[in-house]
Amino acid sequence: MSSLKKYNFHFIVGSQDLYGEDVLKTVNEHAAEMVSSLNGDSAVPCTVVFHNVVRNSDEIYKAVTKANGDPSCAGVITWMHTFSPSKMWINGLKALQKPLLHVNTQFNRDIPWDSIDMDFMNLNQSAHGDREHGYICARMRLPRKVISGWWRDETFRRRMACWMRAAVGAFESRRLRVLRVSDNMRNVAVTEGDKVEAQLKFGWQVNHYGVGDIIRAVDEVTEREIDAQMKEYKQNYEMATVDLDAVRYQAREEVALKKFLEQGGFGAFHTNFEDLQQLRQLPGLAAQDLMRLGYGFAAEGDWKTAALCRVMKSMTSDLDCGTSFMEDYTYHFEPSNGMNMGAHMLEICPSIACEKPKIKVFPLGIGNREAPARLTFKAKPGPAVLATIVDMGDRFRMIVNDVICQKQEHDMPRLPVASVLWKPLPCLETSAEAWIYAGGAHHSVLSYGLSDTELRDFAEIMDIEYIHIGSDTDINELRKELIINDIVWRMK
Ligand code: MN
């Protein structure tokens, strides 16, 4: 069963008393059949829950507060099979605390040309019932997604699934606790930000612990626990070093960090190489393996990227797609073949590897500690996105770039870290200019399972600014968008 099936979406079907019991019974039957079909479709990753058609203001309010109070409910889906006067919806929609998807669909696909009569028309009138519903949502300025199409169509279901993933991201975001080990890297601006505002907008509880707390946990790890962790490393990775003492130290760090994360209910964490104190190695392999397990991670005190990494992993936790903390590292400016090489000092998630990762030990030029063990590998080819969140002072801005990860033809025998090679859209130069004009960070999250669609919906649900860089990006239009956004967001 998909790991996203634990998230419920309440399907609220609107009508009114005008039509009589027979029509309402048919509406209920149709809705139940639709829900059962959606739940049986592997393309729909989450669970859809239907209670009963709602006919008046009280029933609508009750249905909405029921969804609000359901701890597994990640969103509400509304649909008007018949006409449901939307002043009846005002109280309910005012109370709504969950992301909203309005589907404009119809039980039947085709008009039954030979038998159509006014009974049929009165039963199947979402064409205008959903317009009445759309008006009240627009009038109330509700953030929402509208998807129109026949409910059995693959495209319609795929679009529904994308929105569900965005809502799951919002759900996990609102309960996310982020463990800060130390502070931000000294003097770096883009990894800073307003943590109170982040909690208000995203729900992230970002809390700091001193490195001493981690060191104590590291010291308490037993040899037996290290042995068990080493066994896992040997199962998942190729041991390509004889320096097992260095690897055992990463195992010790991982066991300690995992306990700390579990005990505090944290879903994401960061480190800072400038503040290691008595830690013998910067967590490299340890951080990489924890990312593989689903934890969000970022380096250098970057709590925003660590949190985003966790959120994006949670949106695709049912897929074997690959999501990692990432950093733009080095350009390849070959004419008509411009590429960007992403890597980090150590910490790239093995979920994006195209080969069995190797455990190796190399010295680290910075941090003034022992040579850390790390996983080295090449990332797989394929379409992906890079996403980052920056604090603009009066708002958060998410920037997303579509990229095509490339097969890495060169061996790069002297490169001691995992690497990704991508062609950003529309091209290296325009993508880089757009990202830089928008103030995008050097840190980001790379995902092979998400696209502009899910991340745009996520940004709307979280009420943050969204900038997309893709195949149709024109640099002058993008600069204009940034200027207009600045005015709009200051007025909000
Ligand atoms: Mn970095």
Side-chain angles (χ1 to χ4, degrees), residues 73-181:
C73 174
V76 161
I77 303 168
T78 54
W79 172 51
M80 306 305 122
H81 190 318
T82 53
F83 193 83
S84 183
S86 64
K87 284 203 274 185
M88 296 188 327
W89 283 80
I90 292 175
N91 275 352
L93 289 175
K94 270 174 87 174
L96 180 65
Q97 293 166 355
K98 305 279 179 173
L100 175 61
L101 168 65
H102 174 196
V103 292
N104 171 227
T105 187
Q106 187 166 271
F107 187 72
N108 54 300
R109 191 191 73 174
D110 299 341
I111 293 174
W113 305 109
D114 295 334
S115 61
I116 188 164
D117 57 11
M118 276 322 284
D119 286 345
F120 183 90
M121 297 275 274
N122 285 332
L123 177 63
N124 300 285
Q125 50 176 315
S126 37
H128 73 280
D130 277 327
R131 280 175 166 72
E132 168 74 358
H133 192 61
Y135 167 72
I136 203 64
C137 294
R139 169 70 196 268
M140 292 172 75
R141 272 73 174 170
L142 291 179
R144 70 207 193 278
K145 176 85 172 181
V146 180
I147 300 178
S148 182
W150 191 45
W151 60 283
R152 283 195 191 273
D153 272 351
E154 201 189 316
T155 309
F156 178 88
R157 291 183 176 200
R158 201 171 49 236
R159 293 182 69 203
M160 247 182 105
C162 285
W163 177 81
M164 282 176 165
R165 290 187 190 282
V168 165
F171 183 97
E172 286 300 327
S173 182
R174 289 190 173 122
R175 63 196 287 269
L176 177 59
R177 295 163 64 97
V178 182
L179 166 65
R180 307 199 69 199
V181 181

Side-chain angles (χ1 to χ4, degrees), residues 204-272:
W204 303 340
Q205 300 174 54
V206 185
N207 284 312
H208 159 267
Y209 284 80
V211 183
D213 294 315
I214 304 301
I215 291 167
R216 210 169 304 120
V218 167
D219 288 344
E220 283 167 7
V221 174
T222 65
E223 291 300 315
R224 183 178 292 194
E225 287 172 311
I226 296 173
D227 289 343
Q229 187 62 58
M230 288 293 283
K231 211 174 141 195
E232 267 196 50
Y233 288 161
K234 280 171 193 158
Q235 272 166 10
N236 292 315
Y237 312 122
E238 184 187 326
M239 195 66 73
T241 176
V242 290
D243 189 356
L244 291 186
D245 182 54
V247 182
R248 286 183 72 81
Y249 190 72
Q250 288 287 331
R252 177 181 283 279
E253 288 186 322
E254 175 163 354
V255 171
L257 281 164
K258 205 186 295 168
K259 273 193 211 164
F260 211 92
L261 291 160
E262 278 170 8
Q263 280 163 12
F266 296 107
F269 72 108
H270 69 66
T271 54
N272 181 350

Side-chain angles (χ1 to χ4, degrees), residues 185 299-300 325-327 329 343-345 347 442-443:
M185 183 176 168
E300 291 125 30
F325 168 56
M326 191 50 59
E327 184 163 67
Y329 230 104
H344 206 262
M345 294 185 304
E347 313 93 333
H442 50 274
H443 284 172

